[in-house]
């Protein structure tokens, strides 16, 4: 049997959370989704326990458990030109552990096989990018590394055209060119000399900013122009003219960070612990758990499709938003299964299932991360208690089946 068994299940769907609003859907209910990527007709989502592929047409999914799962895991996902998935996972042994003790692991996944990539640094990875030649670049928030012959080698001013040692972020434009934020000569408070570097194959080009305020974040639009957010505003670099223009002035009490854009004039922001916001040049719209169907105020990433559909990775599921309306193809029985809640989690001896009254003649299976079924139960009551006292401590999946429908949920046995 292969180490990782392909588990085919229907998508964990949480239903329409606002009764008369078909602008929202939420999938992977109660799962921590930290990163999403678009690939043709599929959405890939990185959770804290497994990689998920969602088919946009019929909402079916494949689950691919990570080879090793540690507590408090956060994963970043990118897909290269060959369809290989690159996943950077950072984990802490416990919430009290300092950042310097974060364990960082890099995997590449070709759809069947997981390969661990050598990364012998103790520093967490800040950003990941893949260029048009499928070369992987990473930054630690200070240092830049490039994969060469399967090993990450540090890039410095001595062996490249970097201007300064400090590289805050790395990203790509739609043509696969690498963009870097290069910072040096730090001054008082949040000032420094700032250079944007564009790498096209072997060609490096630098764009010197005319401001000394450090960048908060950078986004590359479809025209290849960088948009950078600084302390109180957003500025755009016209790469053809090498000129900067101010695009948006923000108030000092606005803590939202520019994450992506929809078209040429709609900004999407994340406030990591207070939801998301959009600005269309005239009006601000704020989305939180309390005033919308966003399942969590903890938001990690937003991906925008050409039709305006937003895929939002949150601390309690994968949210989908389209202000013009969404079309769902989820079957009724599947919705019932996905409304099931398991508790307590983590647990020592028992798991209770809270489920809709109409869920009948279903089964629940405890499955290891390599696909082995340890225990099976019949569940057909409004609330069922499952004895898990005899299984070893660890991370497991609870697979619930009713007729042709399935749902998958993660739990921890202490």
């Amino acid at each position: 049997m292969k180490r990782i068994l392909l588990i085919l299940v229907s998508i964990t769907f949480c239903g329409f959370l606002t009764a008369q609003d078909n602008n929202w859907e939420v999938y992977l209910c109660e799962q921590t989704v930290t990163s999403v990527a678009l690939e043709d007709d599929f959405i890939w989502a990185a959770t804290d326990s497994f990689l998920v592929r969602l088919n946009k047409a019929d909402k079916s999914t494949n689950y691919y458990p990570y080879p090793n799962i540690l507590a408090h895991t956060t994963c970043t996902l990118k897909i290269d030109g060959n369809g290989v998935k690159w996943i950077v996972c950072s984990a802490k042994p416990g919430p009290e552990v300092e950042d310097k003790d974060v364990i960082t692991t890099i995997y590449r996944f070709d759809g069947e096989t997981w390969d661990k990539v050598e990364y012998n640094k103790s520093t967490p990875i800040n950003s990941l990018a893949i260029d048009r030649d499928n070369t992987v670049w990473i930054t630690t928030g200070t240092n830049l590394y490039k994969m060469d012959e399967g090993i990450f080698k540090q890039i410095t001013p001595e062996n490249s055209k970097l201007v300064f040692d400090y590289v805050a972020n790395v990203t790509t434009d739609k043509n696969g060119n690498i963009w870097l934020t290069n910072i040096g000569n730090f001054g008082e408070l949040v000032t420094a000399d700032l250079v944007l570097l564009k790498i096209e194959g072997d060609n490096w080009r630098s764009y010197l900013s005319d401001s000394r305020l450090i960048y908060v974040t950078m986004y590359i639009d479809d025209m290849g122009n960088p948009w950078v957010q600084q302390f109180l505003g957003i500025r755009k670099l016209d790469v053809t003219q090498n000129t900067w223009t101010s695009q948006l002035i923000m108030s000092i009490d606005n803590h939202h960070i520019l994450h992506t854009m929809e078209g040429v004039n709609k900004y999407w922001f994340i406030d990591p612990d207070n939801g998301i916001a959009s600005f269309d040049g005239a009006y601000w719209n704020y989305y939180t758990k309390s005033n919308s169907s966003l399942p969590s105020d903890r938001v990690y990433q937003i991906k925008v499709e050409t039709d305006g559909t937003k895929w939002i990775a949150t601390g309690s599921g994968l949210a989908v938003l389209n202000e013009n309306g969404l079309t769902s193809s989820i079957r009724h029985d599947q919705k019932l299964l996905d409304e099931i809640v398991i508790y307590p989690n983590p647990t020592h001896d028992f798991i209770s299932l809270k489920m809709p009254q109409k869920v009948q003649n279903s089964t629940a299976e405890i499955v290891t991360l390599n696909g082995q079924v340890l225990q099976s139960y019949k569940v057909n009551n409004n609330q069922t208690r499952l004895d898990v006292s005899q299984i070893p401590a660890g991370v497991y999946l609870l697979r619930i089946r009713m007729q042709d429908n399935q749902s998958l949920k993660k739990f921890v046995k202490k």
Side-chain angles (χ1 to χ4, degrees):
M1 179 183 288
K2 294 181 180 180
R3 171 64 182 86
I4 298 299
L5 180 67
L6 177 63
I7 305 175
L8 299 174
V9 298
S10 296
I11 185 69
T12 302
F13 176 77
C14 307
F16 294 110
L17 300 187
T18 305
Q20 296 180 349
D21 180 4
N22 70 337
N23 296 340
W24 289 86
E25 291 176 353
V26 180
Y27 304 90
L28 302 173
C29 190
E30 302 301 324
Q31 297 287 346
T32 300
V33 181
T34 56
S35 188
V36 290
L38 309 179
E39 184 185 39
D40 300 325
D41 296 327
F42 299 100
I43 300 295
W44 289 83
T47 76
D48 57 355
S49 306
F50 39 75
L51 188 62
V52 184
R53 189 188 72 177
L54 177 140
N55 187 317
K56 291 189 291 185
D58 62 10
K59 304 302 190 295
S60 63
T61 69
N62 294 349
Y63 284 71
Y64 307 91
Y66 303 138
N68 294 290
I69 297 177
L70 299 175
H72 315 290
T73 298
T74 300
C75 296
T76 299
L77 166 68
K78 292 291 175 71
I79 304 176
D80 69 21
N82 295 322
V84 175
K85 285 69 188 175
W86 293 81
I87 302 100
V88 173
C89 291
S90 298
K92 293 183 180 182
E96 72 286 351
V97 179
E98 300 294 333
D99 284 346
K100 63 183 178 62
D101 296 314
V102 167
I103 300 170
T104 299
T105 308
I106 303 176
Y107 295 106
R108 62 186 305 277
F109 179 63
D110 63 6
E112 294 186 0
T113 305
W114 292 88
D115 292 319
K116 186 176 180 180
V117 179
E118 183 178 348
Y119 178 74
N120 298 321
K121 314 293 185 300
S122 59
T123 310
I125 293 174
N126 180 62
S127 54
L128 163 73
I130 303 174
D131 67 21
R132 61 189 183 187
D133 297 321
N134 294 322
T135 300
V136 179
W137 300 68
I138 59 174
T139 63
T140 61
T142 55
N143 298 323
L144 175 68
Y145 297 90
K146 176 184 177 182
M147 177 168 281
D148 184 12
E149 298 181 348
I151 298 175
F152 282 104
K153 297 181 180 179
Q154 186 173 355
I155 306 299
T156 68
E158 287 72 31
N159 62 20
S160 72
K161 295 183 180 179
L162 281 180
V163 180
F164 306 113
D165 288 314
Y166 192 106
V167 178
N169 297 99
V170 58
T171 188
T172 57
D173 59 28
K174 70 174 185 178
N175 295 318
N177 300 313
I178 290 290
W179 284 85
L180 308 171
T181 52
N182 200 196
I183 306 175
N185 298 329
F186 290 89
E188 298 179 357
L189 299 177
V190 290
T191 63
D193 286 338
L194 308 172
V195 176
L196 293 187
L197 289 168
K198 179 182 180 182
I199 306 174
E200 302 177 84
D202 295 328
N203 298 319
W204 292 56
R205 181 173 180 180
S206 62
Y207 299 87
L208 180 65
S209 171
D210 57 7
S211 173
R212 293 177 58 87
L213 286 176
I214 292 178
Y215 298 156
V216 175
T217 187
M218 175 175 63
Y219 168 77
I220 313 297
D221 67 21
D222 288 343
M223 301 301 294
N225 297 314
W227 297 62
V228 297
Q229 182 175 355
Q230 296 171 292
F231 182 51
L232 291 176
I234 295 173
R235 304 166 72 241
K236 173 187 173 183
L237 171 65
D238 185 329
V239 294
T240 60
Q241 302 294 325
N242 197 13
T243 57
W244 289 87
T245 56
S246 178
Q247 299 293 313
L248 176 64
I249 303 299
M250 301 175 67
S251 64
I252 195 169
D253 59 346
N254 190 328
H255 304 296
H256 284 82
I257 299 171
L258 177 65
H259 190 76
T260 189
M261 294 185 66
E262 182 178 351
V264 296
N265 58 5
K266 190 170 186 178
Y267 307 79
W268 283 93
F269 299 84
I270 289 177
D271 184 340
D273 293 305
N274 197 35
I276 61 177
S278 68
F279 181 70
D280 62 5
Y283 299 101
W284 284 89
N285 288 303
Y286 297 93
Y287 304 90
T288 66
K289 185 178 180 180
S290 62
N291 70 7
S292 73
S293 297
L294 193 69
S296 170
D297 286 333
R298 180 64 178 174
V299 176
Y300 296 91
Q301 191 176 15
I302 305 172
K303 283 289 186 179
V304 182
E305 295 193 82
T306 55
D307 67 353
T309 299
K310 273 71 67 176
W311 296 85
I312 308 163
T314 84
S316 294
L318 176 61
V320 192
L321 168 64
N322 191 315
E323 296 89 335
N324 296 320
L326 294 165
T327 301
S328 176
S329 61
I330 300 300
R331 294 167 293 187
H332 176 69
D333 289 347
Q334 184 62 52
K335 291 183 181 181
L336 291 177
L337 285 183
D338 296 331
E339 290 175 6
I340 295 174
V341 176
I342 65 174
Y343 67 94
N345 189 10
T347 185
H348 288 281
D349 299 313
F350 296 92
I351 288 178
S352 292
L353 302 184
K354 184 178 181 181
M355 50 190 169
Q357 185 69 41
K358 293 182 180 180
V359 175
Q360 299 292 332
N361 301 319
S362 57
T363 61
E365 298 171 327
I366 295 178
V367 184
T368 66
L369 297 182
N370 62 7
Q372 180 184 4
V373 177
L374 297 184
Q375 295 185 22
S376 181
Y377 313 83
K378 290 289 185 181
V379 289
N380 51 23
N381 297 319
N382 196 38
Q383 184 167 312
T384 298
R385 198 181 192 203
L386 310 181
D387 184 355
V388 296
S389 60
Q390 300 304 310
I391 67 174
V395 179
Y396 298 92
L397 304 175
L398 184 68
R399 183 167 56 199
I400 306 168
R401 303 174 184 263
M402 186 171 70
Q403 297 181 5
D404 295 330
N405 303 292
Q406 303 182 57
S407 184
L408 194 68
K409 300 178 185 296
K410 184 196 75 171
F411 73 94
V412 177
K413 164 66 187 301
K414 288 188 174 181

